[in-house]
Coordinates of all heavy atoms in Angstrom, one line a residue:
N39 N 34.2 -135.5 9.5 CA 35.1 -136.6 9.8 C 34.4 -138.0 9.7 O 35.0 -139.0 9.3 CB 35.7 -136.4 11.2 CG 36.7 -135.3 11.2 OD1 37.2 -134.8 10.1 ND2 37.0 -134.8 12.4
E40 N 33.2 -138.0 10.2 CA 32.4 -139.3 10.1 C 32.1 -139.7 8.7 O 32.3 -140.8 8.3 CB 31.1 -139.2 10.9 CG 30.3 -140.5 11.0 CD 29.1 -140.3 11.8 OE1 29.2 -139.6 12.9 OE2 28.1 -140.9 11.4
V41 N 31.6 -138.8 7.9 CA 31.3 -139.1 6.5 C 32.5 -139.4 5.6 O 32.4 -140.3 4.8 CB 30.5 -137.9 5.9 CG1 30.3 -138.0 4.4 CG2 29.1 -137.8 6.6
N42 N 33.6 -138.7 5.9 CA 34.8 -138.9 5.0 C 35.8 -139.8 5.6 O 36.8 -140.1 5.0 CB 35.4 -137.5 4.8 CG 34.6 -136.6 4.0 OD1 34.4 -136.9 2.8 ND2 34.0 -135.6 4.6
E43 N 35.4 -140.4 6.8 CA 36.3 -141.4 7.5 C 37.7 -140.9 7.5 O 38.7 -141.6 7.2 CB 36.2 -142.7 6.8 CG 34.8 -143.3 6.8 CD 34.6 -144.6 6.1 OE1 35.6 -145.2 5.5 OE2 33.5 -145.2 6.2
E44 N 37.9 -139.7 7.9 CA 39.2 -139.1 8.1 C 39.2 -138.1 9.3 O 38.1 -137.7 9.7 CB 39.7 -138.4 6.9 CG 38.9 -137.2 6.5 CD 39.4 -136.5 5.2 OE1 39.4 -137.1 4.1 OE2 39.9 -135.4 5.4
Q45 N 40.3 -137.7 9.8 CA 40.4 -136.7 10.8 C 40.8 -135.4 10.2 O 42.0 -135.3 9.8 CB 41.3 -137.2 11.9 CG 40.8 -138.4 12.7 CD 39.5 -138.2 13.3 OE1 39.4 -137.3 14.2 NE2 38.5 -139.0 13.0
N46 N 40.0 -134.5 10.2 CA 40.3 -133.1 9.6 C 39.6 -132.1 10.6 O 38.4 -132.1 10.7 CB 39.8 -133.0 8.2 CG 40.1 -131.6 7.6 OD1 40.6 -130.7 8.3 ND2 40.0 -131.5 6.3
Y47 N 40.4 -131.4 11.2 CA 39.9 -130.4 12.2 C 40.0 -129.0 11.6 O 39.9 -128.0 12.3 CB 40.6 -130.5 13.5 CG 40.3 -131.8 14.2 CD1 41.2 -132.9 14.1 CD2 39.1 -132.0 14.8 CE1 40.9 -134.1 14.6 CE2 38.8 -133.2 15.4 CZ 39.7 -134.3 15.3 OH 39.3 -135.5 15.8
F48 N 40.3 -128.9 10.3 CA 40.4 -127.6 9.6 C 41.4 -126.7 10.3 O 42.4 -127.1 10.7 CB 39.0 -127.0 9.4 CG 38.1 -128.0 8.6 CD1 37.3 -128.9 9.3 CD2 38.1 -128.0 7.2 CE1 36.5 -129.8 8.6 CE2 37.3 -128.9 6.5 CZ 36.5 -129.8 7.2
F49 N 41.0 -125.5 10.5 CA 41.9 -124.5 11.1 C 41.8 -124.4 12.6 O 42.5 -123.6 13.3 CB 41.7 -123.1 10.5 CG 40.4 -122.6 10.7 CD1 40.1 -121.8 11.9 CD2 39.3 -122.8 9.8 CE1 38.8 -121.4 12.1 CE2 38.1 -122.3 10.0 CZ 37.8 -121.6 11.2
L50 N 40.9 -125.2 13.2 CA 40.5 -125.0 14.6 C 41.6 -125.2 15.6 O 41.7 -124.4 16.6 CB 39.2 -125.8 15.0 CG 38.0 -125.4 14.3 CD1 36.8 -126.4 14.6 CD2 37.6 -124.0 14.6
P51 N 42.4 -126.2 15.5 CA 43.5 -126.4 16.5 C 44.5 -125.2 16.5 O 44.9 -124.7 17.5 CB 44.2 -127.7 16.1 CG 43.2 -128.5 15.4 CD 42.4 -127.4 14.6
Q52 N 44.8 -124.7 15.3 CA 45.7 -123.6 15.2 C 45.1 -122.3 15.7 O 45.8 -121.5 16.3 CB 46.2 -123.4 13.7 CG 47.0 -124.5 13.2 CD 46.2 -125.7 12.6 OE1 44.9 -125.7 12.6 NE2 46.8 -126.7 12.2
F53 N 43.8 -122.2 15.5 CA 43.1 -121.0 16.0 C 43.0 -121.0 17.5 O 43.2 -120.0 18.1 CB 41.7 -120.9 15.4 CG 40.9 -119.7 15.7 CD1 41.3 -118.4 15.3 CD2 39.8 -119.7 16.5 CE1 40.7 -117.3 15.6 CE2 39.1 -118.6 16.9 CZ 39.6 -117.4 16.4
Q54 N 42.8 -122.2 18.1 CA 42.8 -122.3 19.5 C 44.1 -121.9 20.1 O 44.2 -121.1 21.1 CB 42.5 -123.8 19.9 CG 42.6 -124.0 21.4 CD 41.4 -123.4 22.2 OE1 40.3 -123.3 21.8 NE2 41.7 -123.0 23.4
E55 N 45.2 -122.4 19.5 CA 46.5 -122.0 20.0 C 46.8 -120.5 19.8 O 47.3 -119.8 20.7 CB 47.6 -122.8 19.1 CG 49.0 -122.5 19.6 CD 50.0 -123.4 18.8 OE1 49.7 -124.5 18.5 OE2 51.0 -122.8 18.5
Y56 N 46.3 -119.9 18.7 CA 46.5 -118.5 18.5 C 45.7 -117.7 19.5 O 46.3 -116.7 20.1 CB 45.9 -118.1 17.1 CG 45.9 -116.6 16.8 CD1 47.1 -116.0 16.5 CD2 44.7 -115.9 16.9 CE1 47.0 -114.6 16.2 CE2 44.7 -114.6 16.7 CZ 45.8 -113.9 16.3 OH 45.8 -112.5 16.1
I57 N 44.5 -118.1 19.9 CA 43.7 -117.3 20.9 C 44.4 -117.4 22.2 O 44.5 -116.4 23.0 CB 42.3 -117.8 20.9 CG1 41.6 -117.5 19.6 CG2 41.5 -117.3 22.1 CD1 41.4 -116.0 19.3
Q58 N 44.9 -118.6 22.6 CA 45.5 -118.8 23.9 C 46.8 -117.9 24.0 O 47.0 -117.2 25.0 CB 45.9 -120.2 24.1 CG 44.7 -121.1 24.4 CD 45.1 -122.5 24.5 OE1 45.7 -123.1 23.7 NE2 44.6 -123.1 25.6
K59 N 47.6 -117.8 22.9 CA 48.8 -117.0 22.9 C 48.4 -115.5 22.9 O 49.0 -114.7 23.6 CB 49.6 -117.3 21.7 CG 50.4 -118.6 21.8 CD 51.2 -118.8 20.6 CE 51.9 -120.1 20.6 NZ 52.7 -120.4 19.4
R60 N 47.4 -115.2 22.1 CA 47.0 -113.8 22.0 C 46.5 -113.2 23.3 O 46.8 -112.0 23.6 CB 45.8 -113.7 21.0 CG 45.1 -112.4 20.8 CD 45.8 -111.4 19.9 NE 45.0 -110.4 19.3 CZ 44.4 -109.5 20.0 NH1 44.3 -109.5 21.3 NH2 43.7 -108.5 19.4
F61 N 45.8 -114.0 24.1 CA 45.3 -113.5 25.4 C 46.1 -114.0 26.6 O 45.7 -113.8 27.7 CB 43.8 -114.0 25.6 CG 42.9 -113.3 24.7 CD1 42.4 -113.9 23.5 CD2 42.4 -112.0 25.0 CE1 41.6 -113.2 22.6 CE2 41.6 -111.3 24.1 CZ 41.1 -111.9 23.0

Side-chain angles (χ1 to χ4, degrees):
N39 290 342
E40 184 177 319
V41 168
N42 293 292
E43 297 179 359
E44 66 179 66
Q45 295 299 304
N46 184 346
Y47 296 97
F48 301 91
F49 63 88
L50 293 177
Q52 294 85 2
F53 185 67
Q54 174 72 33
E55 183 178 322
Y56 173 79
I57 293 298
Q58 287 176 308
K59 286 181 183 177
R60 172 83 161 56
F61 290 99

